[in-house]
Amino acid sequence: MTGGPLPAEPYDVVVVGAGVVGSAIARELARYPLRTALVDAADDVGEGTSKANTAILHTGFDAVPGSLEARLVREGQRLLTRYAAEAGIPVEPLGALLVAWDEEQLAALPGLARKARENGYRDARPIGAAELRAREPHLGPGALGALDVPGEGVICPWTTVLAYATQAVRAGVDLLLGCEVRDVRPGHELVTTRGVLRARYLVNAAGLYADELDRLLGHRDFNVRPRRGQLIVFDAFARDLVRHILLPVPTALGKGVLVSPTVHGKVLLGPTAEDVDDRTATGSTAEGLAFLREKGRRIVPALLDEEVTAVYAGLRAATEEDDYRIACHPGQRYVTVGGIRSTGLTASMAIAAHVVDLLAGAGLEPGPARELPAVRMPNLGEAFPRPYADARAIAADPAYGEIVCFCERVTRGEIRDALASAVPPASPAGLRRRTRAGAGRCQGYYCGAAVRALFEEAR
Amino acid sequence: MTPVRTVDVLVVGAGPAGLGAAARLAALGAGTVEVLERERDLGAVRRWAVAARRAGAVLRTGVTVTGWAGPLTLDTTSPAGRERVAARAVVLATGARERPRAARLVPGTRPAGVLTGGELRRAVRRHRQDVGTRAVVVGTEPDAARRAVRTLRRAGVEVAALVTRERWRAPGALTGRLPVLDGTAVTGLLGRGRLSGVRVRRGDGREATLACDTVVFTGEWVPEHELARSGGVALAPGTRGPAVDGAFRTSVAGVFAVGALLHGGASTVGAVVRGRAVAAPVLAYLSGRAPWPGAGVPVVADAPLRWVVPNRLGAGGGRFLVRAARPLVRPVVVVSQDGVLLLRRRVWRALVPSRSLPLPAGWAARVDPGGGPVRVRVW
Ligand SMILES: Cc1cc2nc3c(=O)[nH]c(=O)nc-3n(C[C@H](O)[C@H](O)[C@H](O)COP(=O)(O)OP(=O)(O)OC[C@H]3O[C@@H](n4cnc5c(N)ncnc54)[C@H](O)[C@@H]3O)c2cc1C
């Protein structure tokens, strides 16, 4: 239900924000016989930070021990790994290597292994320069050793949000898009750009705007200070240069720049970490790109010889505190999910379970849980079979043999399916996140117009 | 097991070069000559397609070659299914594309309305799509820039400016007002949802914003080398296309490469002509008269030259083409091997990055086959 008038009767729960966090919460609520709405200002799900991150499925080995984030990341990784297998979300358990480039970094590795153990992660161990080189032959010169963290993996961030939202919608959640919450009147009357929406319980999963929504409800607990992360995606030909997620050793200045394969068969370089004032500053900068290229040249020199397929930037919803800001206000029947900074993709399912517990604690009686309708998302992962190479799929439906996007080998059948799906795209960019059409090295030189034509036709 | 169909020559890509090659091969009796093209619609090259078919070549469109199943054996996908085709010789003619915005590392936002010349052409000609109201064209190559300006104007779009890093003032015959900002770099894109403007920096350091809702990045051709690379074909460092000798032979036995794939943009007619030129070497190879050469002495271009083609020495005459990375005023081009001078030639005009300089190949006979690489440079 993306357009049309809003219903007059109140919802049991309204979740504001259809990013990965809000969508996970809506999906969790969908287990219960509740009337739930998932609301977003954008005209598609996952249009905020959730579409522009580094897509690592973290173990939480380097979290602040004892923090809420540490616990939810740890649990979230377990939950999402299992869910991904069921729902067809591509995951590659590549493992990470934290590469030490100087003596100081090398000396920090045992401490990081200890911290990992405090976080309940026991498989991290330092490895020497020779083993490192054998496992990453294209690494630049000068690496002294690494911390091996075999549990880290990469995931498709787009499919994750879509799987949650699709499953929620199939289970009866109303997805209200293009619906920006402008004000909240007493009794949870939400004044939105599409009219007034009533809720018994309210969940704020508004990402970069969580503090603003919080203020509308009278709270001044935290301020969001966006921290921009710019990233460069290198062409599929770079994929063979990198076998693991190559993490930097964290310093006082932040987590630093990584080089990582993506599940879409490419290689990411980034992110930067810049404090910005503007919550819409998702542009890239010349300085940011130059900085990343300089870092990348050191980590995997040959990477820079390959073509760049995309450049993007995401904003972390950082706050003044080094942890998530999840708070329940039982008297208000209201839960804030703020400060979900750089691990929210991984933690999303655990955050959702935690939030539903908080709602129950605030008096929501969810009723008996039931099985959610199973979803199986179209595969966007390069490591798994895709329709263009599946003779049986093509024989059953020749549209899967008609390749429209050549670089990414996306067929007309897949584009048609995405356009007709339960949560359809609102733009060619949304179609790209559902199919990879246009996400390749030519960036639309060959297929851009054809993909746009298919999109327009389906409107 | 997937059944394998066999042909004599498989040409991949029905652009001008592939069609020119197929027409000539079929006419010279190379046996079964088949051209595979992933696009369904041939667009502007239809008349070359007619010629190729008339000569006896089989042309199949909407068929994508997805990879190699073995030497000279390719896997394909089409609505008819997966198919494996083996050939006695393969001619790669997969063309080139214009480098898009991201790969040019142009910073800023990611709005709609950011195109390459190729996407613009397809959007306007094939799909009659709305491409905005006011456009900026970016490019260093006059031909490609001019084509984009024409396409935009035909679609009723006002062209606000042509921005080029080069020093040329006019892209050739175009009528109507067209501000050309030469010596100017694009430093960022503005706008959310839809493009609202382009930031530029002039040669003197002044910055400006050009209001527009469409920007078209033209030129900067990148060889479409996926199939070549995945087949283990060695690339030439300067072009990033397959390294070939004068007979279009790559490093892989039986695999030839022609056209824009070798070095990026080329004129249609030129590509057809050069595509045809591959026919004789292919026939010689098929007849067993010409065994596949070894690696051959590499020919490399030193900065400020960008590339030289062919880039391996072997049989096959013709000429060499040289391209500069930046404008050079009346340079002296020098060819040498291990310090031995092979050719020295003054160029009586400016060498610009958008045009190739032809060099005669007479010196090739004096190259020591056991020696080091041949270097082409400027004095
Ligand atoms: C550079 C970078 C790298 C990252 N890397 C990783 C990683 O590797 N692994 C990992 O697990 N996490 C990573 N993260 C973190 C992760 O992306 C975020 O934690 C997660 O996406 C946050 O999701 P969200 O749903 O809270 O926010 P968002 O995705 O921003 O969703 C919030 C939504 O709320 C909507 N909204 C806001 N205000 C209103 C309103 N008033 N009315 C209606 N709708 C509203 C917005 O439109 C938006 O869609 C990274 C983040 C960044 C920036």
Side-chain angles (χ1 to χ4, degrees):
Chain A
M1 185 168 132
T2 52
L6 300 178
E9 330 108 74
Y11 284 100
D12 292 315
V13 188
V14 168
V15 181
V16 180
V20 72
V21 171
S23 300
I25 295 168
R27 175 189 166 276
E28 191 63 34
L29 288 166
R31 293 176 188 284
Y32 303 97
L34 296 167
R35 291 194 63 234
T36 302
L38 175 61
V39 173
D40 204 291
D43 52 12
D44 196 356
V45 301
E47 277 282 1
T49 300
S50 300
K51 74 175 178 192
N53 52 48
T54 321
I56 311 286
L57 190 53
H58 293 293
T59 57
F61 79 96
D62 62 345
V64 178
S67 63
L68 178 62
E69 182 176 16
R71 172 165 78 82
L72 295 181
V73 168
R74 189 164 62 237
E75 291 175 11
Q77 191 213 27
R78 200 170 35 78
L79 292 171
L80 183 48
T81 301
R82 190 178 340 125
Y83 180 65
E86 271 165 41
I89 302 167
V91 169
E92 287 188 51
L94 299 170
L97 296 171
L98 264 83
V99 181
W101 296 95
D102 59 37
E103 291 296 339
E104 196 188 328
Q105 292 178 359
L106 194 64
L109 298 183
L112 285 164
R114 258 195 315 279
K115 186 173 173 187
R117 279 195 296 279
E118 279 177 66
N119 279 318
Y121 185 73
R122 296 183 191 289
D123 297 338
R125 66 179 179 102
I127 61 169
E131 182 181 344
L132 172 59
R133 176 104 3 232
R135 289 172 62 181
E136 281 295 350
H138 296 282
L139 209 59
L144 302 179
L147 186 69
D148 181 15
V149 190
E152 300 268 305
V154 292
I155 187 166
C156 177
W158 307 325
T159 310
T160 305
V161 184
L162 284 164
Y164 294 159
T166 301
Q167 204 167 23
V169 166
R170 291 231 187 105
V173 169
D174 283 349
L175 177 61
L176 307 174
L177 296 172
C179 189
E180 184 187 340
V181 177
R182 288 274 176 83
D183 197 5
V184 183
R185 294 196 213 125
H188 288 342
E189 269 194 16
L190 310 186
V191 182
T192 80
T193 44
R194 282 177 58 186
V196 174
L197 200 63
R198 289 174 187 82
R200 290 176 52 228
Y201 287 80
L202 183 61
V203 177
N204 169 0
L208 292 164
Y209 299 89
D211 57 342
E212 292 187 358
L213 187 56
D214 220 30
R215 274 195 277 275
L216 294 178
L217 282 122
H219 305 285
R220 297 186 175 278
D221 298 343
F222 62 93
N223 294 295
V224 172
R225 184 80 204 276
R227 189 170 302 146
R228 179 166 56 200
Q230 303 184 40
L231 292 128
I232 301 178
V233 187
F234 287 89
D235 183 36
F237 278 112
R239 179 62 185 84
D240 289 343
L241 298 173
V242 188
R243 298 180 183 172
H244 306 78
I245 304 161
L246 299 176
L247 298 173
V249 175
T251 65
L253 295 172
K255 282 197 176 176
V257 173
L258 62 81
V259 171
S260 170
T262 73
V263 293
H264 310 126
K266 306 187 180 63
V267 175
L268 266 185
L269 168 64
T272 59
E274 314 149 63
D275 288 328
V276 293
D277 294 321
D278 180 358
R279 295 172 199 226
T280 63
T282 53
S284 54
T285 64
E287 302 72 42
L289 300 183
F291 166 80
L292 290 180
R293 284 167 55 82
E294 182 198 316
K295 292 280 179 189
R297 188 168 288 126
R298 167 110 202 241
I299 303 167
V300 180
L303 191 58
L304 280 290
D305 293 337
E306 299 300 339
E307 288 288 315
V308 167
T309 61
V311 168
Y312 63 89
L315 301 176
R316 306 169 187 87
T319 68
E320 25 313 71
E321 225 169 285
D322 212 9
D323 201 353
Y324 292 170
R325 308 301 305 265
I326 301 181
C328 180
H329 307 279
Q332 260 183 322
R333 290 176 275 112
Y334 168 58
V335 176
T336 307
V337 191
I340 313 297
R341 305 158 302 165
S342 41
T343 49
L345 170 60
T346 306
S348 50
M349 293 187 89
I351 295 173
H354 181 58
V355 167
V356 172
D357 280 349
L358 292 175
L359 286 169
L364 175 73
E365 284 172 10
R370 53 188 172 133
E371 265 314 286
L372 287 167
V375 292
R376 188 76 199 168
M377 303 303 287
N379 168 43
L380 302 193
E382 204 51 34
F384 307 94
R386 305 208 21 239
Y388 80 86
D390 182 346
R392 249 189 298 161
I394 302 170
D397 183 348
Y400 294 120
E402 196 181 315
I403 300 182
V404 176
C405 165
F406 304 123
C407 303
E408 300 293 288
R409 298 185 181 160
V410 183
T411 64
R412 193 171 61 77
E414 292 163 278
I415 292 173
R416 174 203 62 200
D417 296 349
L419 290 167
S421 64
V423 183
S427 65
L431 183 58
R432 183 177 65 223
R433 295 198 291 277
R434 285 159 174 87
T435 60
R436 286 171 52 181
R441 58 178 74 93
C442 92
Q443 289 287 293
Y445 175 89
Y446 296 111
C447 73
V451 170
R452 211 172 314 115
L454 290 172
F455 175 78
E456 296 295 343
E457 229 169 74
R459 302 264 277 184
Chain B
M1 262 316 294
T2 318
V4 183
R5 197 162 55 79
T6 307
V7 298
D8 289 303
V9 186
L10 197 60
V11 179
V12 185
L19 291 171
R24 189 97 185 121
L25 280 161
L28 292 180
T32 46
V33 178
E34 185 164 310
V35 189
L36 300 181
E37 168 56 50
R38 58 192 188 178
E39 300 270 8
R40 268 192 314 173
D41 181 355
L42 286 176
V45 294
R46 218 167 284 129
R47 68 187 172 111
W48 309 111
V50 170
R53 279 200 171 113
R54 201 172 292 144
V58 173
L59 172 55
R60 296 174 61 216
T61 60
V63 181
T64 303
V65 176
T66 58
W68 301 82
L72 301 179
T73 306
L74 294 161
D75 279 332
T76 69
T77 290
S78 78
R82 290 282 279 172
E83 195 185 27
R84 190 160 282 180
V85 189
R88 294 171 58 218
V90 171
V91 178
L92 298 176
T94 46
R97 61 180 192 273
E98 287 162 305
R99 183 165 284 138
R101 174 266 176 113
R104 296 179 197 218
L105 296 174
V106 175
T109 56
R110 298 177 74 195
V114 182
L115 307 173
T116 48
E119 181 173 357
L120 169 74
R121 218 162 39 250
R122 287 173 170 82
V124 170
R125 296 241 181 102
R126 201 170 299 171
H127 297 284
R128 316 219 169 277
Q129 284 164 355
D130 179 6
V131 286
T133 57
R134 191 177 145 90
V136 166
V137 174
V138 182
T140 53
E141 291 164 41
D143 288 350
R146 186 171 51 227
R147 216 178 315 156
V149 171
R150 281 219 192 94
T151 307
L152 286 163
R153 285 184 170 166
R154 211 171 298 152
V157 180
E158 176 198 353
V159 181
L162 200 159
V163 176
T164 177
R165 273 187 323 229
E166 298 305 320
R167 279 290 170 193
W168 45 263
R169 290 293 315 176
L174 274 178
T175 53
R177 211 179 79 87
L178 179 68
V180 176
L181 304 179
D182 67 343
T184 301
V186 176
T187 56
L189 302 189
L190 308 170
R192 268 164 221 299
R194 183 81 195 192
L195 184 74
S196 65
V198 169
R199 291 284 294 165
V200 296
R201 193 189 309 113
R202 308 296 306 268
D204 58 11
R206 271 182 306 148
E207 300 225 16
T209 300
L210 308 174
C212 59
D213 57 8
T214 294
V215 60
V216 185
F217 289 93
T218 67
E220 284 202 35
W221 299 94
V222 186
E224 184 70 0
H225 62 207
E226 176 173 7
L227 199 57
R229 264 181 102 171
S230 65
V233 170
L235 302 186
T239 60
R240 303 287 283 165
V244 290
D245 65 12
F248 306 95
R249 293 178 292 194
T250 70
S251 63
V252 175
V255 178
F256 297 79
V258 291
L261 168 64
L262 295 181
H263 53 70
S267 75
T268 308
V269 177
V272 173
V273 172
R274 275 190 290 280
R276 276 188 200 140
V278 79
V282 171
L283 283 171
Y285 171 70
L286 289 179
S287 72
R289 274 183 284 121
W292 206 258
V297 177
V299 185
V300 295
D302 287 347
L305 297 177
R306 191 150 57 98
W307 53 249
V308 53
V309 170
N311 21 47
R312 301 174 346 124
L313 280 180
R319 53 188 188 163
F320 286 75
L321 294 178
V322 176
R323 199 63 85 91
R326 57 176 170 82
L328 303 168
V329 181
R330 271 178 299 188
V332 178
V333 178
V334 173
V335 181
S336 64
Q337 182 192 31
D338 300 328
V340 178
L341 186 71
L342 298 170
L343 177 80
R344 183 177 181 285
R345 164 161 300 210
R346 150 102 46 210
V347 183
W348 292 105
R349 58 177 172 88
L351 208 53
V352 293
S354 55
R355 284 223 197 304
S356 309
L357 171 76
L359 283 184
W363 50 267
R366 284 182 282 129
V367 167
D368 172 5
V374 171
R375 314 202 80 94
V376 185
R377 59 188 116 193
V378 292
W379 276 353

